[in-house]
Amino acid sequence: FSLPVSSDSTEEARALLKWKTSLQIHSRSLLPSWTLSPVNATKKNLCAWSGIYCNHDERVVGINLTTTSLNGTLDEFSFSSFPDLLFLNLFNNELFGIIPPQISQLFKLQYLDLSANKLSGKIPPEIGQLSFLSELSLYSNCLNGSIPQSLGNLSKQSLLSLYNNSLSGYIPPVIGNLISLSTLDLSLNQLIGSVPFFLGNLTNLVTLHLFNNSLSGFIPSTLGKLKCLSNLNMSMNHLSGAIPSSIGNVRNLRSLFLYSNELSGSIPKEIGNLRSLSNLDLSINRLNGVIPSSIGNSNNLSILYLYSNQLSGSIPKEIGNLKCLFDLELSMNNLTGVIPSSIGNLRNLRLLYLYRNELSGSIPQAIGNLVELVSLLLGFNYFRGPIPKNFKNLTNLVRVRMNQNNLSGNISEAFVGTYPTLSFLDLSHNNFHGQISSDWGRFPQLGTLDFSVNNITGSIPPEIGNSSKLQVLNLSSNHIGGKIPMELGRLSSLNKLILNKNQLFGSLPPEIGTLTELELLDLSENRLSNAIPGSLGNLLKVHYLNLSNNEFSHKIPTQFEKLQLQLSELDLSQNFLEGEIPSQICNMESLVKLNLSYNQLSGFIPNCFEDMHGLSSIDISYNRLQGPVPFSKAFRDAPAEALQGNRGLCGDDKGLSSCKAFRSSRRASVKKLIIMILLPLLGVLALSIISIGLLFNSRRTKMVSQTGQSSPANASGFLSTLTLEGKITYDQIIRATNDFDEEYCIGKGAQGSLYKAKLQSEDLIAVKKFNSQLP
């Protein structure tokens, strides 16, 4: 509208100011020009207010306040004060509350847009009284209830847009009366019932959008009468039955979206009549039969989506006629045969998805002509032979999946060339052989590299550590040997490292512990040895850690306790780990599965396992563990096989011996240990006493032979123990010498020391203590 900015209506100005006052405080400041100063300038000011449009009679005919961030309701908007209003546009604000029924007082209104707000409640049926209304937009609100029948009175209506609300019920038959309608958009609601056949009466319809509802039943053949229709979207409903062949009569159709329904039958060959069609999406249905060759007539097609159906037969060579095609997706069907070489004519193609079919033969060289190709997905088929060498022409590739085929050839010759944008490559589950090329370190955008389940040999090239954006590295189930290169520690973005089922050996480099973004680490079924590096405790984001079936030894690192917030599954089984289960493992609050079986772990199971409430699965079989099994859910629910092979374990079930018997056995073992310690000591003591006796007997014989005297006293006043005729005891000697204290030592020789001892009888004796020969 191009209207003079003048007005003679004080009532209109006051009505607008009253509504402004009802808005939230911050919204009032968004309308600074809405003011009644100076005095006697009211009439001139109103038409100068922002968003206000007036006619030659200085009456308000338009209000346009789109995207102004107004926050409030329409409750205080005086609709009756604007009898000449032709358009009201409050699009994209923050208005809430209901649409007042008084809106019907805008008798001359032709354009009403309240979309993209937060309005709720039902659509007032009084809107049907706005007989001049030609465009009604209420989309993207929170409106509910049914579409009022009164809208059928709006015979001048050319646009009805109610999408993205919570409208329910059926599409009212009176909509068929709106023969001037060019746009009908009821999508993104909760409408039920069938698509009305009377929509075929809307012969001026250009756009019909009914997608994302709960509509059911057949697609009416009457839609074939909509000769002006350009955009038809009925996707994401529950429509069933066949696509009517009458759709081929809608010659102006440019977009046909019927995806995510329950449609069956074959694709009608009449689709080929739609020469203007640029977008065709029939995906995620139950369509069967072959792809009609007539589709090659729709040579303006740029998008063709037929994926996730039950289509069979071969890919028609006529697809090569679709020179404008840039996205072709035929995945998840039952297509057979080879890829037609005519596909090489699609020079504008950027996406080619053929995965999960039954296609066979070799990958055609013609694909190497698709120099604009960005994404190539051929996985889950029966392709054989090598990857064509002219794929080096596909320098724009970003994503490639050829997994789950029978492809072969030397892996070092696959994708030889420069691929500056390649971020995803999956060649897994094929028959590639040879060694991994060091060139894979030269792909700057590479994020995923998956060569798993092939026949690859050699070692992991350290140059892969240069792929700084690599997030997933999967080389599992090959015959790769050698050591894990420490350079992998430079892959700071890595979140999945999967190297299991290879022939890797040597120590696990501690640099792996610097991969702080790692979420999954699987090195199982290799020949890795030595200690598990404690640096793995730095992998704070890892939720799956599997080091099983290796030759790791030493103790379980206590640093694993730092993996307490994310780790849910830990498998260290079938190694040579020893020592006790560290109690720090109980700090892993997020742990759900723990497997420590087939190791050499010993000692008791920490009692703190009883506090691990999240642990649901545990296996500690075939170790050297002993003592009672913790009383926790994981151990209670564990099968007997998860505890077997530990002779010292006890418990009340699982076939274990009773813990009472264990405690009795333990006491007996303690007694046996005490006896084993005391018996040697008593033997040494008896040997000492005998030695002392022999010593003094020898001295006595010598003294008698030298002096020929029979007096019990010698010249020094000492008595020989032999003169006491065996009446002295070992205890008396110990007491008399204060356990052979240095204070009583009177001489030392090569074989022992000589002590003086004063007995209770006041006799002094000499005692020789021999040096012990025991170790």
Side-chain angles (χ1 to χ4, degrees):
F1 292 88
S2 177
L3 299 169
V5 285
S6 61
S7 173
D8 59 359
S9 176
T10 302
E11 180 187 357
E12 290 175 332
R14 288 177 177 167
L16 289 172
L17 289 175
K18 181 182 178 183
W19 181 59
K20 173 185 174 181
T21 303
S22 74
L23 300 175
Q24 301 290 334
I25 294 176
H26 77 276
S27 296
R28 301 172 197 171
S29 62
L30 301 174
L31 301 170
S33 63
W34 288 25
T35 178
L36 282 180
S37 59
V39 180
N40 299 325
T42 305
K43 297 174 184 177
K44 183 180 294 185
N45 284 348
L46 173 61
C47 293
W49 290 0
S50 61
I52 303 301
Y53 298 84
C54 301
N55 62 12
H56 292 287
D57 296 327
E58 300 179 340
R59 303 283 296 193
V60 176
V61 295
I63 300 175
N64 187 353
L65 298 173
T66 64
T67 318
T68 317
S69 299
L70 298 178
N71 192 320
T73 71
L74 295 173
D75 295 344
E76 296 299 322
F77 193 100
S78 179
F79 296 98
S80 61
S81 299
F82 303 94
D84 295 303
L85 197 66
L86 299 177
F87 70 94
L88 175 60
N89 192 344
L90 301 178
F91 165 77
N92 196 25
N93 282 286
E94 298 177 21
L95 300 174
F96 57 91
I98 65 168
I99 300 173
Q102 292 81 4
I103 200 167
S104 63
Q105 297 172 355
L106 302 175
F107 303 113
K108 296 182 180 180
L109 197 66
Q110 298 176 12
Y111 179 94
L112 176 60
D113 191 346
L114 302 178
S115 54
N117 280 284
K118 299 177 181 177
L119 297 170
S120 57
K122 298 182 178 182
I123 299 173
E126 288 80 1
I127 285 182
Q129 300 174 22
L130 302 175
S131 57
F132 291 98
L133 198 64
S134 63
E135 295 190 19
L136 175 59
S137 293
L138 303 178
Y139 65 86
S140 294
N141 278 288
C142 305
L143 300 171
N144 54 42
S146 60
I147 298 172
Q149 296 277 349
S150 62
L151 295 187
N153 300 329
L154 304 177
S155 58
K156 290 182 169 54
Q157 190 86 342
S158 64
L159 183 147
L160 178 57
S161 185
L162 305 179
Y163 72 87
N164 197 20
N165 279 286
S166 298
L167 300 173
S168 57
Y170 298 90
I171 299 174
V174 292
I175 296 294
N177 300 335
L178 306 179
I179 57 175
S180 298
L181 209 59
S182 64
T183 298
L184 176 60
D185 195 339
L186 306 179
S187 56
L188 292 153
N189 280 289
Q190 300 166 17
L191 300 173
I192 59 173
S194 60
V195 177
F197 71 91
F198 54 74
L199 292 180
N201 300 333
L202 306 179
T203 54
N204 289 305
L205 209 58
V206 174
T207 297
L208 175 58
H209 285 177
L210 303 177
F211 66 88
N212 209 339
N213 278 285
S214 296
L215 299 171
S216 56
F218 297 160
I219 298 173
S221 59
T222 55
L223 295 185
K225 294 158 52 175
L226 304 179
K227 302 298 176 64
C228 297
L229 195 64
S230 176
N231 303 297
L232 175 59
N233 191 339
M234 295 193 292
S235 58
M236 291 184 282
N237 281 287
H238 304 292
L239 301 174
S240 58
I243 299 171
S245 59
S246 61
I247 202 75
N249 298 330
V250 189
R251 300 297 178 95
N252 288 310
L253 204 60
R254 296 180 58 82
S255 296
L256 176 57
F257 294 138
L258 301 177
Y259 63 90
S260 290
N261 278 288
E262 299 167 16
L263 298 171
S264 57
S266 59
I267 299 172
K269 64 180 185 300
E270 289 79 5
I271 287 281
N273 298 337
L274 305 178
R275 303 295 179 92
S276 299
L277 199 63
S278 61
N279 301 313
L280 176 59
D281 190 347
L282 307 180
S283 62
I284 316 177
N285 278 287
R286 300 172 183 172
L287 298 172
N288 53 43
V290 301
I291 300 173
S293 58
S294 61
I295 205 165
N297 298 331
S298 301
N299 51 19
N300 283 307
L301 268 178
S302 60
I303 292 176
L304 177 56
Y305 292 168
L306 303 179
Y307 65 87
S308 195
N309 277 287
Q310 299 168 15
L311 299 171
S312 57
S314 59
I315 300 172
K317 64 180 186 299
E318 288 80 5
I319 275 186
N321 299 335
L322 306 177
K323 303 292 180 64
C324 298
L325 205 62
F326 73 83
D327 192 350
L328 175 59
E329 302 191 19
L330 308 179
S331 304
M332 293 183 281
N333 280 288
N334 301 316
L335 299 173
T336 57
V338 299
I339 300 174
S341 58
S342 62
I343 208 161
N345 299 333
L346 308 179
R347 300 300 178 94
N348 292 306
L349 201 64
R350 294 173 60 83
L351 290 88
L352 177 58
Y353 293 176
L354 303 177
Y355 66 93
R356 290 190 184 275
N357 277 287
E358 298 175 16
L359 298 169
S360 57
S362 59
I363 298 174
Q365 294 269 349
I367 291 182
N369 299 333
L370 308 179
V371 293
E372 298 296 324
L373 204 61
V374 170
S375 187
L376 176 61
L377 307 186
L378 305 178
F380 294 93
N381 279 287
Y382 299 103
F383 294 121
R384 64 179 187 274
I387 295 172
K389 292 185 178 180
N390 66 348
F391 270 32
K392 65 182 179 181
N393 300 332
L394 308 180
T395 56
N396 290 311
L397 280 174
V398 173
R399 187 177 179 86
V400 177
R401 297 197 70 161
M402 297 184 176
N403 57 307
Q404 298 277 354
N405 279 286
N406 295 316
L407 296 171
S408 58
N410 196 317
I411 194 72
S412 64
E413 298 175 359
F415 290 92
V416 175
T418 303
Y419 302 90
T421 57
L422 187 64
S423 67
F424 187 103
L425 178 61
D426 187 352
L427 302 181
S428 66
H429 293 82
N430 280 290
N431 297 314
F432 290 109
H433 64 271
Q435 301 185 16
I436 300 171
S437 170
S438 60
D439 290 343
W440 288 108
R442 298 190 296 103
F443 290 69
Q445 301 299 322
L446 194 61
T448 294
L449 182 63
D450 192 343
F451 289 166
S452 61
V453 196
N454 278 284
N455 296 311
I456 299 171
T457 55
S459 58
I460 301 172
E463 289 81 2
I464 285 183
N466 298 329
S467 300
S468 59
K469 294 190 177 181
L470 200 62
Q471 296 180 344
V472 177
L473 177 59
N474 189 348
L475 306 178
S476 62
S477 299
N478 279 288
H479 307 290
I480 299 172
K483 296 183 177 181
I484 297 176
M486 66 177 66
E487 287 80 3
L488 295 188
R490 298 204 298 259
L491 301 174
S492 56
S493 299
L494 201 66
N495 56 55
K496 291 183 181 179
L497 178 58
I498 309 171
L499 305 177
N500 61 294
K501 294 186 178 180
N502 277 290
Q503 298 171 15
L504 299 168
F505 59 82
S507 299
L508 178 58
E511 287 80 5
I512 297 297
T514 64
L515 303 176
T516 54
E517 296 298 315
L518 208 60
E519 298 176 6
L520 186 151
L521 176 60
D522 192 347
L523 306 178
S524 61
E525 297 188 53
N526 280 287
R527 292 187 286 126
L528 299 171
S529 58
N530 298 321
I532 298 173
S535 61
L536 295 189
N538 298 325
L539 306 178
L540 302 183
K541 293 185 179 181
V542 72
H543 60 80
Y544 179 88
L545 177 55
N546 193 341
L547 304 179
S548 65
N549 280 276
N550 277 287
E551 298 172 8
F552 288 115
S553 56
H554 301 285
K555 296 183 177 181
I556 298 173
T558 57
Q559 293 91 332
F560 276 8
E561 70 171 327
K562 293 188 288 185
L563 308 177
Q564 55 184 302
L565 298 179
Q566 297 293 332
L567 189 63
S568 61
E569 187 166 348
L570 175 61
D571 193 344
L572 304 178
S573 63
Q574 300 198 52
N575 280 287
F576 300 107
L577 299 174
E578 57 191 26
E580 297 184 345
I581 299 174
S583 60
Q584 290 86 346
I585 211 166
C586 299
N587 295 331
M588 298 180 184
E589 299 174 1
S590 58
L591 200 62
V592 176
K593 297 180 69 175
L594 175 62
N595 193 343
L596 303 176
S597 63
Y598 291 92
N599 278 288
Q600 299 173 10
L601 299 171
S602 58
F604 293 86
I605 303 171
N607 289 330
C608 58
F609 269 91
E610 297 180 358
D611 300 325
M612 298 183 71
H613 303 297
L615 190 66
S616 62
S617 175
I618 190 163
D619 191 343
I620 55 171
S621 60
Y622 295 98
N623 278 284
R624 301 171 181 174
L625 299 169
Q626 59 178 308
V629 172
F631 188 75
S632 69
K633 184 178 185 301
F635 282 95
R636 289 197 307 271
D637 295 346
E641 293 78 12
L643 305 178
Q644 67 186 10
N646 292 281
R647 290 187 177 181
L649 286 182
C650 67
D652 297 330
D653 54 8
K654 313 291 184 187
L656 300 174
S657 59
S658 170
C659 285
K660 292 181 180 178
F662 171 79
R663 284 189 285 269
S664 299
S665 174
R666 191 178 177 200
R667 285 194 295 269
S669 297
V670 170
K671 290 179 180 179
K672 184 177 180 181
L673 181 61
I674 293 173
I675 292 171
M676 290 176 66
I677 292 173
L678 285 179
L679 278 177
L681 289 177
L682 291 174
V684 170
L685 180 61
L687 183 61
S688 299
I689 293 172
I690 293 171
S691 298
I692 292 170
L694 291 174
L695 170 65
F696 280 97
N697 184 52
S698 173
R699 288 179 60 87
R700 179 182 181 191
T701 304
K702 186 175 181 180
M703 289 172 65
V704 170
S705 64
Q706 287 179 350
T707 63
Q709 299 177 354
S710 60
S711 172
N714 63 17
S716 300
F718 288 98
L719 294 175
S720 167
T721 55
L722 296 178
T723 64
L724 299 177
E725 300 176 351
K727 295 179 181 178
I728 187 170
T729 67
Y730 180 73
D731 287 339
Q732 288 175 323
I733 294 171
I734 292 298
R735 286 195 297 272
T737 61
N738 194 17
D739 198 12
F740 298 105
D741 192 278
E742 287 292 322
E743 178 184 350
Y744 297 94
C745 183
I746 57 176
K748 294 184 178 182
Q751 296 183 345
S753 302
L754 190 64
Y755 295 84
K756 65 178 180 179
K758 187 175 183 180
L759 304 177
Q760 291 179 347
S761 62
E762 297 299 327
D763 293 321
L764 284 175
I765 64 172
V767 178
K768 186 170 184 178
K769 179 184 179 186
F770 291 95
N771 294 330
S772 175
Q773 301 300 313
L774 297 173

